Amino acid sequence: MDIKRISPFFSVSPQLTVQDVGIAATKGFKTIINNRPDGESDDQPTSADIERAARAQGLDYRHIPVIGGKISDSDIAAFSSAKAEVIGPVLAFCRSGQRSISLWSLSEADHMDAGALVLAAEEIGYDISSLKSRFAARMSAQVATVSDSGPAHARSFDVVIVGGGAGGISAAA
């Protein structure tokens, strides 16, 4: 099992086995998100098998299957909703971890700098630089939404993070 931590709340991994679920529970994970569709390979456990193992360990489980290289806006929305609903730390997995880190970064792109997202992924061994245009589009959409919501003095924020260093980026993640 090759767990790669992107933040205190979120980690990714290549394909988990049923036995890996128990190990994940002992490492403190509270939720598992499976981003791999069933049947991609013959040696892959089914989502139902992983879910049974997760529930037996007291873990929450979500299955958000995504076809490699074809992450849609609805996939990102489902992933964002799952992240908002679950208790962390979260361990997301797919065949290699690439889809899971891509989903995480796209779900964070409306409030995090694209360069910071790419760097964070690089630091744990993933290249998401090909997603930069999608990050920019998501950030632009968020800026347009905030701009359309009225003057700055009329807006309220639930969280304000001061500091653009590693601590601020980590807290934002």
Side-chain angles (χ1 to χ4, degrees):
M1 193 160 96
D2 184 20
I3 297 172
K4 303 207 178 186
R5 185 176 172 187
I6 192 77
S7 77
F9 178 76
F10 189 80
S11 298
V12 298
S13 172
Q15 177 68 55
L16 296 180
T17 65
V18 170
Q19 294 79 13
D20 290 337
V21 173
I23 295 168
T26 65
K27 291 183 179 277
F29 289 99
K30 304 294 182 198
T31 300
I32 292 178
I33 299 177
N34 177 356
N35 296 127
R36 194 168 187 198
D38 280 342
E40 274 192 333
S41 68
D42 294 335
D43 62 342
Q44 168 189 353
T46 67
S47 174
D49 291 341
I50 297 290
E51 181 174 14
R52 262 191 302 282
R55 302 277 184 217
Q57 294 291 328
L59 303 178
D60 194 357
Y61 176 84
R62 303 296 169 99
H63 187 213
I64 305 167
V66 176
I67 297 169
K70 297 182 180 180
I71 298 174
S72 69
D73 287 342
S74 62
D75 294 330
I76 299 164
F79 191 82
S80 295
S81 292
K83 278 190 345 183
E85 295 168 1
V86 301
I87 295 172
V90 172
L91 176 59
F93 76 92
C94 57
R95 186 188 63 76
S96 68
Q98 184 71 41
R99 276 173 274 191
S100 296
I101 194 67
S102 296
L103 280 163
W104 172 82
S105 63
L106 288 163
S107 73
E108 299 289 328
D110 60 353
H111 61 272
M112 282 186 70
D113 176 71
L117 292 167
V118 170
L119 180 62
E122 281 177 0
E123 287 178 351
I124 62 168
Y126 294 99
D127 180 6
I128 58 170
S129 60
S130 64
L131 298 175
K132 283 184 179 179
S133 63
R134 290 191 74 183
F135 296 154
R138 294 185 66 76
M139 181 60 83
S140 293
Q142 178 63 16
V143 168
T145 302
V146 170
S147 297
D148 294 342
S149 64
H153 68 276
R155 295 189 301 261
S156 68
F157 302 92
D158 293 327
V159 177
V160 175
I161 298 173
V162 178
I169 291 169
S170 228

